[in-house]
Amino acid sequence: MKNIYPISPSPLSFEIIETILSEGYQLELSDESVELIEKCKKYLDNKVANQNGPVYGVNTGFGALHSISISKDDLSKLQENLVKSHACGIGREVPRDVVKLMLMLKIHALSLGKSGVQLATVKRLIDFFNNGIYPIVFEQGSLGASGDLAPLAHLFLPLIGDGDVHYKGEKRLAIDVLNENGWEPIKLEAKEGLALLNGTQFMSSHAVYTLLKAFRLSKYADIIAATSLDAFDGRIEPFYPQLHTIRPHKGQMETARNIMAILDGSELITRSKKHVQDPYSFRCVPQVHGAIKDAINYVAGVVLTEINSVTDNPIVFPEDDMIVSGGNFHGEPLALAMDFLSIAMSEIGSISERRTYRLISGERGLPEFLVANPGLNSGFMIPQYSAASIVSLNKQMATPSSVDSIPSSNEQEDHVSMGGNAATKALKIADNVERVLAIELFNASQAMDFRRPAKTSEFLEGFLSQYRKFVDFVEEDKIMYKEIEKSIEFLQTGEFDEFAS
């Protein structure tokens, strides 16, 4: 029996979304949402039938063409033309998991009953989601202005029998997949194309997907930093709670607690130290990782509001007898937030690479480049190069997209957010951070083995034991990229117990 999640006006959460994705839930509309959708559509149809004046996007052109009236006989063709003409995305294909999120978030937004779409349209989107039919969407083309016009046009081309989809492991013509499932293309009605294309689901789906990764990488960053600290023969005093209660940033205090809990019972961390201080990349983990946690949580709050909002245009208010053309599609909240997330995530990689460098530097009794026979063996020299290269790239990509704006639509859309670029860059940065952390773990586990027979904490011994099922200790030079790839795989698939006190 398949798990079913009922789509309703109830807010989505990150926990709900992750469960739907990870456990293969299918979607269905709640009775409440069916009623809301049908009520809104009935109101809009009555308005179209009785309205003599212009209503933007309902009986007018779009953007700079808003002043051109469209006859009632052409309203369906107007919406179909909109979807076709706006499908101008280019570049790499958007990952299928992100496309799946785009479908789910759009279904949820339409279920709120403010968009004036047909019930059949929403049900067909649910059919796509439930049957693993993922429209091919391209990465480039969104200004994050009237929402994500180009990528959303690609997402919804298959509704009308155009475009391409991924289905059962193959790239297929959408019309062939519709025919195979016995479905007729949807005939779009008044406003419907605009309701589908206006919205922030491209940006917000990238944001959700990146945040789910960021939550996980933030936890791994603490575990891996603690491993490096212990392997480097670091000091525990900078993590004492007294230090952080007098500068009580929430993330800072949480990080310090995490490191103390992770290293609880370590033989290495409690032994006498000759050195008085550790470098900042170890000593300031609470302050740096903590600030990053606070940034991630701030962004999560913005994104949570966004995914539970109505962001198309115009918006229909049957209860108030209003159809309002506004700007809820503007991506500025997401653009700023995703730029902030990019900066924060790049900092995880930046401080991680510095710890990696210290581990191979030949300090504190560790062999240079973490190899027993240097010279003949280069050991862990070049993984640090790779980490440094990635960190540098992240710094370049973390330059904010939201500070830019290029007017479009004959200056009707004269300020745009560039949130699509901010969102796609944030995901790339998060992927890069995963690689940098994997390289640090690769080095830290090697360094820890040079401390044997001394032991670290019970938690880290268990963690490293799991890691060693993926990656062995390096005795002599070997092809290192394969070990890095296995380290990345471990971070993507491995599980760990909660450690925070």
Side-chain angles (χ1 to χ4, degrees), residues 20-141:
I20 291 171
L21 294 179
S22 64
E23 298 185 16
Y25 272 63
Q26 295 201 332
L27 306 180
E28 69 177 13
L29 279 176
S30 66
D31 291 341
E32 182 181 6
S33 283
V34 169
E35 183 179 346
L36 288 169
I37 292 167
E38 290 184 325
K39 178 182 177 182
C40 187
K41 183 67 169 73
K42 182 178 179 180
Y43 169 82
L44 181 63
D45 287 345
N46 289 335
K47 203 75 172 174
V48 170
N50 299 303
Q51 179 84 20
N52 292 320
V55 179
Y56 173 72
V58 176
N59 56 10
T60 73
F62 310 106
L65 303 175
H66 64 279
S67 59
I68 299 176
S69 295
I70 308 298
S71 71
K72 291 180 181 179
D73 292 339
D74 289 329
L75 296 187
S76 179
K77 186 65 174 176
L78 173 70
Q79 303 301 319
E80 181 182 321
N81 286 347
L82 176 73
V83 177
K84 290 180 177 179
S85 66
H86 284 50
C88 295
I90 54 176
R92 291 185 293 189
E93 291 184 16
V94 172
R96 261 164 265 180
D97 284 344
V98 177
V99 174
K100 189 173 184 178
L101 271 170
M102 290 173 71
L103 287 170
M104 177 166 55
L105 295 185
K106 193 66 177 186
I107 291 164
H108 182 261
L110 296 176
S111 78
L112 300 175
K114 300 294 183 185
S115 301
V117 298
Q118 301 173 79
L119 181 60
T121 299
V122 185
K123 286 186 173 181
R124 180 59 49 80
L125 295 178
I126 290 175
D127 288 335
F128 283 3
F129 184 95
N130 289 345
N131 289 279
I133 300 169
Y134 304 125
I136 292 176
V137 180
F138 298 100
E139 192 175 81
Q140 295 175 315

Side-chain angles (χ1 to χ4, degrees), residues 36-37 40 109-117 191 195 310-320 322-323:
L36 288 169
I37 292 167
C40 187
L110 296 176
S111 78
L112 300 175
K114 300 294 183 185
S115 301
V117 298
K191 187 196 175 292
V310 180
T311 58
D312 63 273
N313 187 64
I315 297 174
V316 184
F317 298 91
E319 65 278 10
D320 297 313
M322 291 194 310
I323 301 176

